[in-house]
Amino acid sequence: MKKSLQALITGTTFVLASCGSPSGGQHNTTDSTATDSTIGPVETKKPNSDYKPAFPGQTRVNGVKTQTPYEGTVLSDKLENPWGITPLPDGRLLITEKKGVLRIATTSGQLSEPITGLPKVNPDGQGGLLGIRVDPDFKTNRMVYWVFSDPRPDGNLTAVAKGKLSADEKTIEGATVIYRATPAFKGTLHYGGRIVFDKDGNLVISTGERSDLQTRPQAQQLNSALGKVLRITKEGKPAAGNPFAGQADARPEIYSYGHRNVQGLAFNPATGDLWETEFGPRGGDELNRIEPGKNYGWPTITYGIEYKGDKVGDGIQQKDGLEQPVYYWDPVLSPSGITFYSGKGIPEWKDNLFICGLSSIHIARLVIENNKVVGEEMLLLSEEQRFRDITEGDNGVLYAVTDNGRLYSIHKK
């Protein structure tokens, strides 16, 4: 948000139009059509490298603009580094805060006191209390599942826990760690940390490769849980039907590999496919459609470069047997949480993918057709917030949280 608006009070509502350029200028939503091919790519800054895409439309597709007037409302600005958000069956929102706090928020922005009973987290660096989901049968079992950075004697790691939300909603009962993504490492970066349920009731979890040059190669190693998408049961066991089950020297919980730091996971409701977003280094943030057993390339191939400007490895972007991203960004979007939208509130957004951008300070809306990105829009850019996670309520409203402590609702005017 502009400095002159920093004194924003909770509950203020903005009528928003799509932001068509990184400058953050607002546009009247009635001035354009959603499929206007004359709208240029929303990213206009110079890329970090001269790497070329593998196919047309892999980066910097034409922009789109939302025609439907919509509102963005700050429901609360009292959160402290929120990281994950998920709806409860009654419409309220369960929110994690990075330092290890779990809260419930109403859709009017009222926050509960911290919910007790969670295991200790290491909140340093990129660690903390991370992604969260409630059991599909929450109405009857009140079970909650979450990811966190687990401090261990030999370092930190990405862990998954579960517990029962008490009837008075003040504590998590019987909190139990059901899975640890080993090996541990004495670092505080690249934990991944997202969690979703698949149609069979299994948990899909993302991990990072922990960032360090020492651990980076483990993204390619099937005997390590680092740099992976994992699929486990509610008890933390490898889920039936995983691609590497029974393979020697491979972990049976692995679903896909070759990932850098996956902070976005979502199933496309139209197709049932699993999609993810992951951080590249300097450039090369990726959107991938995940297929079981596939290798997504990091660090062998990437469209990014090292932060100091060097090539990553051999500096190649394509190699047989390694999957190409559906889409990539250079400069980076810094993509965190993602969600597909049902179209209940704003029909033109149906089945579009919404991606939280951190350093890019906006929410990216992607129009996807036949597994290709055909349009991109920047939303809420003028708010100047680091968007961390996003979800949809049953009411057709999108809810997003920001590193700056805000809870937003985004809905039709």
Side-chain angles (χ1 to χ4, degrees):
M1 180 171 292
K2 300 286 189 287
K3 290 183 179 179
S4 61
L5 297 178
Q6 287 293 335
L8 169 81
I9 60 172
T10 301
T12 299
T13 300
F14 300 90
V15 180
L16 297 167
S18 57
C19 297
S21 71
S23 65
Q26 293 190 345
H27 303 264
N28 189 315
T29 54
T30 62
D31 289 343
S32 61
T33 63
T35 57
D36 187 348
S37 62
T38 64
I39 303 174
V42 297
E43 182 58 81
T44 59
K45 296 177 183 177
K46 182 181 178 181
N48 289 284
S49 74
D50 58 0
Y51 297 153
K52 304 302 181 185
F55 54 85
Q58 196 181 20
T59 191
R60 300 196 183 211
V61 298
N62 285 336
V64 292
K65 292 181 182 178
T66 299
Q67 299 178 80
T68 306
Y70 63 95
E71 293 180 338
T73 302
V74 179
L75 302 176
S76 175
D77 58 5
K78 303 303 183 184
L79 293 163
E80 187 172 341
N81 293 120
W83 209 95
I85 181 171
T86 195
L88 290 164
D90 64 6
R92 293 178 300 158
L93 304 160
L94 200 57
I95 299 174
T96 62
E97 293 180 334
K98 185 177 178 296
K99 65 182 178 181
V101 170
L102 179 63
R103 298 182 190 273
I104 295 173
T106 68
T107 53
S108 62
Q110 295 176 311
L111 302 179
S112 74
E113 292 298 314
I115 297 170
T116 63
L118 279 69
K120 180 181 178 181
V121 309
N122 182 346
D124 295 340
Q126 295 174 357
L129 186 58
L130 306 175
I132 189 162
R133 285 293 185 271
V134 300
D135 195 292
D137 298 320
F138 179 86
K139 287 183 178 180
T140 56
N141 65 22
R142 300 187 64 79
M143 293 300 294
V144 179
Y145 297 78
W146 65 94
V147 183
F148 68 105
S149 55
D150 187 8
R152 307 297 294 165
D154 52 348
N156 307 301
L157 50 72
T158 303
V160 185
K162 69 177 181 180
K164 182 178 180 180
L165 180 64
S166 62
D168 62 8
E169 299 182 340
K170 292 183 178 180
T171 190
I172 293 291
E173 300 172 342
T176 305
V177 177
I178 61 172
Y179 180 83
R180 289 185 169 98
T182 56
F185 178 68
K186 292 183 178 178
T188 59
L189 303 177
H190 291 196
Y191 289 99
R194 292 299 173 195
I195 177 172
V196 293
F197 276 96
D198 70 9
K199 61 181 178 59
D200 298 319
N202 294 307
L203 297 166
V204 180
I205 313 295
S206 68
T207 70
E209 35 71 289
R210 305 307 308 281
S211 181
D212 196 273
L213 289 176
Q214 174 185 338
T215 58
R216 180 186 284 181
Q218 293 190 44
Q220 287 293 315
Q221 297 168 5
L222 293 176
N223 62 355
S224 168
L226 306 188
K228 307 297 191 295
V229 172
L230 310 169
R231 184 168 168 265
I232 60 176
T233 68
K234 294 178 185 180
E235 291 71 43
K237 305 299 182 182
N242 279 351
F244 299 107
Q247 180 174 321
D249 299 321
R251 297 198 178 197
E253 67 267 28
I254 294 174
Y255 195 72
S256 66
Y257 65 112
H259 301 293
R260 186 170 181 267
N261 187 26
V262 178
Q263 282 193 14
L265 280 177
F267 284 98
N268 186 335
T271 65
D273 292 340
L274 178 66
W275 291 72
E276 62 98 298
T277 51
E278 67 182 83
F279 291 79
R282 186 173 158 190
D285 286 351
E286 294 184 2
L287 170 69
N288 290 293
R289 186 172 68 91
I290 299 299
E291 297 183 80
K294 294 294 181 68
N295 182 345
Y296 289 82
W298 177 258
T300 308
I301 61 171
T302 177
Y303 286 92
I305 58 177
E306 301 284 10
Y307 292 115
K308 60 183 179 180
D310 298 342
K311 294 180 178 179
V312 175
D314 294 333
I316 61 173
Q317 293 74 58
Q318 301 177 45
K319 187 175 181 179
D320 289 345
L322 304 183
E323 300 302 305
Q324 282 291 307
V326 172
Y327 198 68
Y328 73 86
W329 291 265
D330 184 11
V332 295
L333 175 68
S334 300
S336 194
I338 66 175
T339 193
F340 284 91
Y341 182 69
S342 69
K344 288 181 181 178
I346 301 179
E348 68 178 293
W349 286 357
K350 181 175 172 58
D351 298 330
N352 291 176
L353 181 64
F354 291 79
I355 303 172
C356 288
L358 294 169
S359 64
S360 54
I361 58 170
H362 72 273
I363 295 172
R365 169 194 168 216
L366 298 186
V367 181
I368 298 173
E369 296 178 359
N370 299 318
N371 296 326
K372 301 285 187 182
V373 176
V374 298
E376 182 174 6
E377 182 177 18
M378 292 180 174
L379 306 179
L380 306 192
L381 181 60
S382 62
E383 295 295 281
E384 295 185 0
Q385 295 284 299
R386 286 172 55 87
F387 288 93
R388 177 62 70 173
D389 198 16
I390 188 167
T391 192
E392 182 184 0
D394 288 339
N395 53 2
V397 174
L398 288 170
Y399 296 97
V401 290
T402 74
D403 280 2
N404 316 66
R406 292 180 181 169
L407 168 63
Y408 281 84
S409 67
I410 307 163
H411 53 89
K412 183 178 180 180
K413 181 183 176 183

